[in-house]
C-alpha cells in the first residue's frame, strides 16, 4: 500500500516534481505520527482518528500525566490497527482485488512491541516499537 511522503508538513517532491510515494514501515511510521499529532475527532468521516495527547500540553508532567499519554498512545495504535484490518476486510467484501492486492506484509502491523513515554524538563517523548506481518521493525518517535 503506497502513501504520499510528507516532509515538514508538505508533500515531498522528487527533482522532476513528482510526489514521492512511501510504503511499508516508512508509511506506517508516518501515518501513526499523523494519528498521534492530530486532535481526536478532527476527521468527521472517521471520528476515531487522532489523539487527545495535546490535552496534556501545559499540564504538570508527573507520573499520572505520563501514564495518561501512554494509555492514549496505546489506544491510538490499537485503533490504527483496527482501521487497517477494517479497510482490508471491507475491500475483500466489496471484491476490490486491486486494493486488497496493494497491501503487502510490511504494510500491516502484527505486534506492538513496546510503548515508552519519558519526560525531560520541558518535553515528553513517546517511542512506539512495532513489528509488521512481514517482520520489519517500525519505530515511531514523537516529542512535544
Amino acid at each position: 500500500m503506497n502513501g504520499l511522503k510528507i516532509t515538514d508538513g508538505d508533500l515531498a517532491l522528487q527533482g522532476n516534481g513528482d510526489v514521492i510515494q512511501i510504503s511499508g514501515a516508512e508509511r506506517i511510521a508516518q501515518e501513526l505520527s499523523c494519528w498521534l499529532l492530530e486532535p481526536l475527532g478532527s476527521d468527521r468521516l472517521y471520528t476515531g482518528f487522532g489523539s487527545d495527547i495535546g490535552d496534556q500540553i501545559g499540564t504538570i508532567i508527573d507520573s499520572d500525566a505520563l501514564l495518561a499519554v501512554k494509555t492514549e498512545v496505546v489506544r491510538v495504535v490499537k485503533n490504527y490497527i483496527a482501521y487497517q484490518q477494517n479497510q482490508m476486510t471491507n475491500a475483500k467484501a466489496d471484491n476490490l482485488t486491486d486494493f486488497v492486492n496493494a497491501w503487502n506484509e510490511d504494510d500491516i502491523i502484527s505486534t506492538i512491541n513496546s510503548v515508552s513515554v519519558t519526560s525531560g524538563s520541558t518535553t515528553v517523548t513517546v517511542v512506539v516499537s512495532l513489528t509488521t506481518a512481514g517482520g520489519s521493525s517500525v519505530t515511531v518517535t514523537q516529542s512535544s
Side-chain angles (χ1 to χ4, degrees):
M1 175 62 64
N2 287 330
L4 303 178
K5 184 171 183 164
I6 299 172
T7 303
D8 297 325
D10 283 324
L11 292 175
L13 302 176
Q14 297 177 17
N16 64 1
D18 288 346
V19 177
I20 298 173
Q21 294 188 13
I22 57 174
S23 63
E26 185 178 10
R27 183 188 58 78
I28 289 171
Q30 177 178 287
E31 287 183 358
L32 271 177
S33 291
C34 291
W35 280 57
L36 291 169
L37 293 171
E38 279 298 315
L40 182 61
S42 62
D43 186 332
R44 290 181 294 136
L45 299 177
Y46 188 68
T47 56
F49 173 76
S51 77
D52 65 5
I53 293 174
D55 295 348
Q56 299 296 326
I57 294 174
T59 64
I60 295 172
I61 302 173
D62 59 10
S63 60
D64 290 339
L66 294 176
L67 179 59
V69 169
K70 183 174 183 173
T71 301
E72 177 61 1
V73 170
V74 170
R75 184 200 66 79
V76 170
V77 173
K78 286 181 177 181
N79 194 27
Y80 178 79
I81 292 169
Y83 175 76
Q84 282 187 323
Q85 292 171 345
N86 191 41
Q87 279 191 310
M88 289 182 289
T89 299
N90 289 342
K92 286 177 184 175
D94 293 339
N95 203 25
L96 301 174
T97 54
D98 287 345
F99 183 78
V100 172
N101 292 334
W103 292 82
N104 68 54
E105 290 183 330
D106 279 336
D107 291 320
I108 303 163
I109 297 171
S110 66
T111 308
I112 301 172
N113 301 322
S114 65
V115 175
S116 68
V117 179
T118 56
S119 64
S121 58
T122 59
T123 62
V124 172
T125 301
V126 174
V127 179
V128 181
S129 173
L130 309 164
T131 302
T132 67
S136 294
S137 296
V138 180
T139 302
V140 179
T141 304
Q142 286 296 323
S143 294
S144 61

